Amino acid sequence: MMNDVLQATQIVIEQALRRLGYGDEMVELLKEPMRLLTVRIPVRMDDGTTRVFTGYRAQHNDAVGPTKGGVRFHPGVTEKEVKALSIWMSLKCGIADLPYGGGKGGIICDPRKMSFRELERLSRGYVRAISQLVGPTKDIPAPDVMTNSQIMAWMMDEYSRIREFDSPGFITGKPIVLGGSKGRETATARGVVIMIHEALRIKGIDIKNARIVIQGFGNAGSYLAKFMHEAGARVIGISDVNGALYNEEGLDIPHLLDRRDSFGNVTNLFPNTIGNEQLLELECDVLVPAAIENQITEANADRIRASIIVEAANGPTTLEATRMITDRGVLLIPDVLASAGGVIVSYFEWVQNNQGYYWDEDEIDHKLRQMMIRGFENVYDIHLTRKIDMRLAAYMAGVRKMAEAVRFRGWV
Ligand code: NAD
């Protein structure tokens, strides 16, 4: 089973580059990040002891511009995962036509078991450890799994202290009062909503009463549930790390949003009707994995009964499963397209920080919509004309500009 996310990404990157007419040198350069920093971060814990955490920052390629991508706090972070995530960020930036390459960071830790102050010390320690390598014109971090605007605020403050000037453009996903952008918190979900509308249109399904299943109730999943509910769709299943809830008539989403905690936990408060595995196999119109990697694999792909899968999470479907569901006529909107809303509004935040002039939410929504639809049309067109699956089409759209930039710079 191909569950190695880095290896799977490298396979598709190579296929995409070959189809674009590039040879071995370009494949060699772009199949790995050009830079990977591993750091050890000592943190004084509340009980007076010191714990040493391992963190990473990967920069895939900066031929197009500075690298950009989130920082993940999770016990399961690995070097390979961070590398794969940095490559996916390049693809997202390419599809959305942003002036960035991809980057990604992660710290092996469990923030659910740390105090507020311990998290602050860890966040600041990470910035001190990577400060040589990052900056508003070099590599710009952002939130990802289990990191949020408070963590971005501490990181921005630490970077500004080191550089001795206020540097809001060092990081995105900040609180609004510190130069955050309107619409950033909901951006990933908004982008996914736009993709769901496009997919439903193609499949001829009305959004009213469309049955939606969402795995994960964190930043991406919970806002998505809210927006789908408001659009008149029926959210029949949601889940988190502890379990899943299901109701064919539609779940009471406002109530669930009210009760969820800041890590996206809610199912533990209710009698669980089903488990996470069953959730993925529910009959529905749209299935949205919005949690973690490798959820749809060759082990369960045959039992998936959705007609559309929109990947809000990074890497939720393996390559073998992609082939299996595509063969069955399921319309797949791949992660590097579907979840690009986050980095698009992060880009808007960085532009606003650089110019010191801030936009209203309507302007953000309008620009986000334009970019997502343009990305979708481009990928869908490649999928139809080249007769290739949507993932490979998205990789072709995503890597093209970077490969051209590498060529113009004379690197390959
Ligand atoms: P989050 O930490 O806010 O929420 C994650 C959710 O997934 C939580 O509800 C958690 O309980 C659940 N979860 C964790 N492990 C699970 C498991 N084994 N089974 C079922 N549910 C599980 O994270 P997020 O920011 O919402 O990110 C979710 C996914 O979306 C990630 O793959 C992330 O990389 C991707 N993504 C997020 C953004 C963003 O802006 N937040 C942007 C692009 C992509």
Side-chain angles (χ1 to χ4, degrees):
M1 200 161 31
M2 171 73 70
N3 287 355
D4 179 330
V5 284
L6 179 61
Q7 206 185 347
T9 305
Q10 289 171 330
I11 290 171
V12 191
I13 281 275
E14 171 155 9
Q15 288 170 351
L17 285 169
R18 301 249 184 247
R19 279 180 183 264
L20 290 167
Y22 291 101
D24 292 346
E25 298 96 335
M26 191 67 82
V27 173
E28 271 306 301
L29 182 67
L30 296 185
K31 75 177 194 195
E32 284 272 335
M34 61 180 188
R35 236 174 260 122
L36 174 75
L37 182 66
T38 304
V39 294
R40 298 280 283 158
I41 312 154
V43 175
R44 184 66 45 86
M45 306 303 277
D46 292 345
D47 65 4
T49 60
T50 296
R51 268 186 66 193
V52 184
F53 294 85
T54 298
Y56 303 100
R57 186 73 197 170
Q59 299 175 346
H60 176 228
N61 189 285
D62 58 8
V64 172
T67 47
K68 175 104 192 71
V71 184
R72 178 173 290 201
F73 283 10
H74 196 275
V77 164
T78 64
E79 186 181 306
K80 271 190 176 176
E81 182 191 61
V82 174
K83 282 179 166 188
L85 283 161
S86 75
I87 300 176
W88 293 335
M89 285 308 299
S90 282
L91 297 166
K92 287 184 201 190
C93 295
I95 290 171
D97 199 13
L98 308 180
Y100 294 137
K104 201 80 182 194
I107 301 177
I108 306 169
C109 66
D110 192 343
R112 291 164 295 198
K113 297 186 179 138
M114 295 173 70
S115 73
F116 199 65
R117 289 294 155 226
E118 287 168 348
L119 275 174
E120 175 176 357
R121 292 192 283 267
L122 178 63
S123 305
R124 290 183 183 278
Y126 178 67
V127 171
R128 285 194 298 276
I130 65 166
S131 67
Q132 298 288 316
L133 218 68
V134 292
T137 55
K138 281 182 171 175
D139 182 14
I140 306 128
D144 190 67
V145 173
M146 288 203 270
T147 52
N148 56 22
S149 58
Q150 173 62 78
I151 291 174
M152 300 304 109
W154 289 324
M155 289 188 174
M156 190 276 276
D157 184 65
E158 191 66 23
Y159 185 83
S160 297
R161 287 185 193 201
I162 293 168
R163 293 282 176 260
E164 296 184 343
F165 56 81
D166 198 33
S167 311
F170 156 63
I171 203 162
T172 59
K174 300 178 293 291
I176 303 266
V177 292
L178 293 180
S181 177
K182 299 210 170 83
R184 174 60 186 90
E185 198 172 314
T186 53
T188 304
R190 287 248 181 248
V192 174
V193 169
I194 296 164
M195 294 299 95
I196 291 177
H197 276 283
E198 291 302 293
L200 287 172
R201 186 176 53 73
I202 286 168
K203 286 277 187 185
I205 302 170
D206 191 353
I207 183 95
K208 297 276 175 243
N209 279 322
R211 290 162 308 163
I212 318 283
V213 171
I214 303 169
Q215 183 193 39
F217 212 58
N219 173 280
S222 68
Y223 279 120
L224 178 65
K226 176 178 181 331
F227 298 147
M228 285 288 102
H229 178 75
E230 287 169 358
R234 242 188 310 152
V235 181
I236 62 169
I238 63 111
S239 76
D240 60 26
V241 68
N242 305 306
L245 303 173
Y246 163 65
N247 182 345
E248 187 58 30
E249 301 311 314
L251 293 161
D252 184 353
I253 297 300
H255 184 55
L256 295 178
L257 291 169
D258 249 14
R259 305 294 307 276
R260 74 186 270 279
D261 70 15
S262 61
F263 292 112
N265 296 313
V266 72
T267 65
N268 50 325
L269 303 178
F270 300 89
N272 274 212
T273 29
I274 52 170
N276 248 300
E277 300 76 32
Q278 287 163 289
L279 176 101
L280 296 172
E281 297 168 14
L282 287 173
E283 193 181 328
C284 62
D285 298 301
V286 187
L287 171 63
V288 184
I292 51 162
E293 286 103 39
N294 291 326
Q295 296 302 294
I296 304 173
T297 68
E298 62 185 353
N300 64 358
D302 272 338
R303 294 196 297 275
I304 303 288
R305 287 181 292 162
S307 41
I308 297 164
I309 296 177
V310 181
E311 296 179 335
N314 285 303
T317 314
T318 64
L319 289 190
E320 184 56 17
T322 299
R323 190 191 57 71
M324 290 164 73
I325 55 174
T326 303
D327 285 353
R328 284 184 18 228
V330 175
L331 176 56
L332 173 78
I333 313 290
D335 47 7
V336 289
L337 168 61
S339 69
V343 70
I344 290 174
V345 179
S346 269
Y347 165 61
F348 297 160
E349 182 172 333
W350 180 77
V351 168
Q352 293 170 84
N353 293 152
N354 291 345
Q355 66 185 7
Y357 176 75
Y358 288 84
W359 308 338
D360 63 30
E361 196 147 356
D362 285 349
E363 189 159 2
I364 306 266
D365 277 351
H366 173 71
K367 287 188 159 78
L368 169 65
R369 191 178 168 71
Q370 261 185 336
M371 284 189 169
M372 289 297 300
I373 300 258
R374 217 164 30 214
F376 175 82
E377 285 174 350
N378 186 19
V379 170
Y380 195 62
D381 184 56
I382 297 173
H383 156 70
L384 292 181
T385 52
R386 300 260 191 162
K387 298 188 174 50
I388 53 177
D389 69 58
M390 285 286 284
R391 192 176 311 283
L392 180 53
Y395 272 56
M396 285 182 71
V399 81
R400 184 195 303 259
K401 180 172 160 188
M402 180 168 281
E404 273 178 36
V406 164
R407 177 66 43 93
F408 272 121
R409 283 181 187 264
W411 293 354
V412 163

